[in-house]
Amino acid sequence: MFFAGFDLLFSILFPILFLVVLGMILYAIIGNIRTWNKNNHSPRLTVPAAVVAKRTEVSHHHTDNTMMHTFTTYYVTFQVESGDRMELTVNGSDYGMLVEGDIGKLSFQGTRYLGFQRN
């Protein structure tokens, strides 16, 4: 008798949970495609800017009990002449070369970092 109720509950909750997880995955994929498309349709701009801040985000992924992978994402905040600030993701080598206080020309396309040329 107990198992009959459990089977009924499982047959209802499993499809709902599956659809919720699938919906979250699709939402993330569609959001990334939308950002990629918006960046591709944005103009490439080069503007005077200063490096005002840097930060990293480290994430750890465990594959099993013995393997762990670490991924680091590098962010740099630039301030343009109008006073507006934008935080862009950069690769590790650019992150290492940029110092807070650097002044130069920032090249970007939407939210995509293209480069920074010091004065």
Side-chain angles (χ1 to χ4, degrees), residues 6-18:
F6 182 75
D7 287 342
L8 177 63
L9 182 66
F10 183 76
S11 67
I12 293 171
L13 288 181
F14 181 76
I16 291 172
L17 185 61
F18 177 77

Side-chain angles (χ1 to χ4, degrees), residues 61-102:
H61 299 281
H62 297 275
T63 56
D64 58 26
N65 291 336
T66 60
M67 295 289 290
M68 182 176 82
H69 298 281
T70 302
F71 300 96
T72 305
T73 306
Y74 301 95
Y75 299 96
V76 177
T77 302
F78 297 94
Q79 183 170 330
V80 296
E81 286 182 325
S82 67
D84 292 333
R85 293 183 176 202
M86 62 181 77
E87 182 178 66
L88 301 174
T89 305
V90 301
N91 62 37
S93 61
D94 284 342
Y95 181 86
M97 295 298 292
L98 295 171
V99 178
E100 289 184 24
D102 279 351

